[in-house]
């Protein structure tokens, strides 16, 4: 990226480069911290910062007192009120090699004047999220804030209450501050992006940006719908005697009061540090959240205090980052993949290459715009990057080494599976095969999804097996899975006699299918594969509709009223249940399986006046916000509707109610005020 080594730059060149880097870092900080929409990867950002720091070290005269190297994070956004941190929320220095770690430990030993090898460390995972501080007073959350510029953060007190893994109360008097990392699980991130795609909203680049964008919301209800989680790693009891002397004790205490902490380890020597680092690197891809390294902290809190800070970093801790996950390889071919809802994705087939322990032979090219923009061609030498655990992507193309006769890759016109003409929704980037119900690729993809873990979880029925069963005609729709055993003998060679199956596999499969004839309502909804409806949205629908019959009878109004569903999603869901093919499919499925209704009303009193009743609102409420009022009604078993019709049971009228109120009066619907909708637990 940089042509000359820092050592061979003259003063003028160094000044020019420093000015350039300062501007770049500022721009990327703004994009990352305030807009939650970074344009470069962490690896690329780290390279810029490393170069910047090196330049400042080599040319101390060029160092400004307020330079980018002492700034942490970014000024808090003016949209939020501000909270000044009692102690600054600083940042960690990075280590990329064992030498860096040796250096870090050596400095600590010299600073403390302790002989070699006598310091214990607590090693933790480095969560790739955003840090937050939560202050508890007498056991209750007093306030919460983001890191901001390290000194002042944004007030996110209401939002943090909607993140999971944060106890509502902790059994301790006085004031205590807990810091940790807010993150979004990878699955939740993928689902959120799918939903956003359907709602034609901008995609989040990675789970961390999605977490930041979800936490820094002026409307905490948005945060609520986002499935955020929290790992705690720091505690400050402001001098009150909690008897915590080490970082390990701090983590144990946090666990005891019901916070989540990462898997940590006491390291007594460098071998322990290496062991932990390698172990975490190995299990990285099995975690459902992103980590980008480990963190080493001097275990003794007394020593931590003595060590203090240098610049923006504490001397006692360091981030030991995983290696930049980049590799160079060649594109052998470009394949067109058809998703379960017909979305066409170009995939690069690569010459296999090792990337942090895994052999990579494919990378997503996202869409044809991306191919055009980067001018990616078959035969190109490329750099691939794996950020977090997401599928690798191509970051750059080495155009110099390109052979002259290589051809630009042209966008396909027809579906490679069924031959249907591909189309684009209005202004959208992605191409689609619209042959939703008879494209073999879409069918196989959908049936595989249906049988996968988050859905019916039919072990032994992966995409490969489904492709085989589909191409032989043994299953045509997902519902046919449940008649597979009955129809088995009809196929000449039964599965147990086919070399690809055999007695045991066939029996296991049939047993497994039998055991999956009972499914929870939310999983059932997830399994339908309604575009954009993953686990979270399915749970929302299950909570609101309770059973399959209600799904068939839902109106667009019912859907629009659900917080967390956009208008476009509501349309998508509504249309799914209007479509004859879908209705027939669901009915066929219901002949073979039983769906357990959602028991959200477990604790509800069936004699509640709102139970099972249709309720509409009109006018301005003064005691509750609309959102809170709706929540109360739902918690009491009511169903919200936005329009008023003969089916409406109650209208809750606030101030300045207009035509809706008149309509309700005309229809003779019972009209009540917001004072009649107190919470269950208030009554
Ligand atoms: S301790 C002085 N522990 O990494 C800062 N930080 O690059 C002490 N992070 O700002 C932070 N996992 O947002 C700590 N186990 C962990 C962490 C962790 C992730 C983040 C945190 C911090 C950033 C520094």
């Amino acid at each position: 990226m940089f042509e000359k080594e820092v050592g061979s730059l003259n003063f003028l060149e160094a000044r020019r480069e420093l000015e350039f880097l300062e501007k770049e870092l500022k721009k990327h900080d703004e994009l990352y911290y305030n807009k939650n929409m970074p344009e470069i990867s962490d690896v690329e950002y780290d390279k810029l910062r490393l170069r910047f720091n090196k330049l400042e070290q080599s040319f101390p005269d060029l160092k400004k007192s307020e330079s980018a190297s002492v700034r942490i994070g970014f000024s808090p956004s003016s949209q939020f009120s501000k909270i000044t941190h009692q102690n600054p929320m600083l940042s960690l220095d990075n280590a990329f090699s064992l030498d860096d770690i040796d250096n870090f430990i050596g400095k600590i030993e010299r600073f403390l004047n302790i002989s070699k090898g006598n310091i214990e460390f607590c090693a933790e995972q480095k969560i790739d999220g955003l840090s937050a501080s939560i202050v508890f007073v007498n056991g209750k959350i007093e306030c919460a804030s983001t890191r901001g510029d390290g000194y002042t953060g944004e007030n996110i007190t209401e939002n943090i209450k909607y993140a999971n893994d944060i106890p509502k109360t902790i059994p301790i008097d006085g004031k205590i501050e807990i810091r940790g990392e807010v993150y979004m699980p990878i699955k939740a991130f993928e689902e959120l992006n799918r939903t956003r795609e359907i709602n034609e909203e901008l995609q989040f680049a990675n789970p961390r940006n999605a977490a930041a964008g979800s936490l820094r919301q002026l409307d905490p209800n948005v945060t609520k719908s986002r499935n955020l989680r929290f790992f705690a790693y720091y505690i400050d009891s402001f001098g009150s005697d909690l008897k915590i002397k080490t970082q390990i004790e701090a983590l144990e205490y946090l666990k005891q009061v019901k916070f989540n902490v990462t898997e940590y380890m006491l390291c007594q020597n460098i071998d322990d540090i290496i062991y932990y680092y390698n172990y975490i690197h190995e299990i990285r891809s099995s975690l459902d959240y992103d980590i980008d390294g480990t963190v080493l902290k001097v275990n003794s809190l007394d020593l931590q205090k003595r060590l203090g800070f240098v610049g923006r970093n504490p001397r006692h801790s360091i981030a030991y980052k995983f290696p930049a996950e980049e590799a160079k390889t060649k594109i052998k071919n470009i394949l067109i993949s058809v998703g379960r809802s017909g979305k066409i994705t170009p995939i690069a087939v690569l010459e296999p290459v090792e990337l942090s322990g895994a052999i990579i032979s494919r990378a997503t090219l996202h869409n044809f715009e991306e191919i055009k923009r980067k001018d990616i061609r078959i035969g190109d030498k490329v750099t691939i990057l794996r950020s977090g655990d997401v599928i690798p992507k191509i970051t750059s193309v080495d155009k110099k080494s390109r052979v002259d006769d290589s051809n630009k890759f042209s966008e396909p016109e027809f579906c490679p599976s069924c031959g249907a003409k591909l189309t684009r929704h209005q202004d959208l980037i992605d191409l689609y095969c619209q042959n939703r119900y008879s494209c073999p690729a879409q069918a196989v993809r959908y049936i595989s999804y249906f049988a996968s873990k988050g859905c019916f979880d039919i072990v032994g029925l992966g995409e490969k097996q489904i492709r085989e069963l589909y191409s032989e005609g043994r299953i045509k729709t997902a519902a046919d899975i449940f008649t597979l055993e009955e129809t088995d003998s009809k196929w000449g060679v039964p599965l147990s006699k086919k070399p690809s199956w055999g007695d045991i596999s066939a029996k296991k499969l049939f047993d497994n299918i039998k055991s999956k004839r009972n499914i929870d309502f939310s999983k059932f909804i997830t399994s339908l594969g309604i575009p954009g409806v993953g686990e979270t949205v399915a749970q929302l629908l299950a909570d609101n509709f309770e059973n399959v019959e209600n799904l068939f009878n839902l109106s667009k109004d019912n859907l629009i009223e659900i917080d967390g569903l956009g208008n476009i999603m509501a349309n998508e869901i509504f249309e799914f249940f209007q479509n004859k093919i879908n209705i027939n499919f669901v009915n066929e499925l219901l002949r073979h399986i039983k769906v357990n209704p959602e028991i959200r009303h477990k604790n509800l009193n069936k004699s509640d006046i709102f139970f099972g009743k249709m309720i509409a609102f009109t006018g301005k409420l003064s005691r509750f916000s609309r959102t809170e009022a709706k929540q109360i009604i739902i918690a009491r078993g009511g169903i919200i509707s936005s329009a008023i019709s003969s089916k409406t049971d109650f209208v809750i009228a606030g101030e300045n109610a207009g035509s809706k109120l008149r309509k309700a009066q005309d229809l003779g619907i019972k009209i009540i005020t917001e004072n009649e909708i107190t919470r269950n637990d208030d009554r």
Side-chain angles (χ1 to χ4, degrees), residues 90-92 124-127 131 147 181 233 295 297 314:
L90 300 175
S91 189
L92 294 172
E124 298 167 22
Q125 296 174 353
K126 186 167 189 298
I127 312 300
S131 46
R147 181 168 64 171
E181 205 78 354
Y233 50 64
V295 180
K297 300 176 181 176

Side-chain angles (χ1 to χ4, degrees), residues 618 644 656-666:
T618 177
I644 291 177
N656 300 328
S659 60
K660 268 196 191 176
L661 181 61
R662 275 195 300 279
K663 187 167 177 193
Q665 284 162 339
D666 289 349

